[in-house]
Amino acid sequence: MLDSPRPRIRLKDYAYNEMRDKVPPRTNPECARRLMELAQELVNLRWET
């Protein structure tokens, strides 16, 4: 059971505030974009269940 509120911002906006997460889009933008899409899908799926 989740006891925290639903996220108000996208995972991408949150993650790219961290320095370590800013590097992959610069080195391999296509792969980073796809991985972020998959991660966002997982977040959305978790909140749907």
Side-chain angles (χ1 to χ4, degrees), residues 5-22:
R6 182 178 205 88
R8 289 179 282 215
I9 63 173
R10 295 179 308 170
L11 177 63
K12 178 180 179 179
D13 297 334
Y14 176 78
Y16 287 160
N17 284 329
E18 298 288 327
M19 182 58 78
R20 66 178 178 224
D21 295 325
K22 291 181 182 180

Side-chain angles (χ1 to χ4, degrees), residues 6-48:
R6 182 178 205 88
R8 289 179 282 215
I9 63 173
R10 295 179 308 170
L11 177 63
K12 178 180 179 179
D13 297 334
Y14 176 78
Y16 287 160
N17 284 329
E18 298 288 327
M19 182 58 78
R20 66 178 178 224
D21 295 325
K22 291 181 182 180
V23 174
R26 293 181 186 162
T27 57
N28 191 343
E30 184 59 31
C31 183
R33 182 193 60 78
R34 182 65 183 139
L35 287 174
M36 189 56 70
E37 287 175 358
L38 291 171
Q40 185 64 55
E41 286 179 26
L42 289 173
V43 168
N44 295 343
L45 183 63
R46 177 167 288 201
W47 276 98
E48 289 175 8

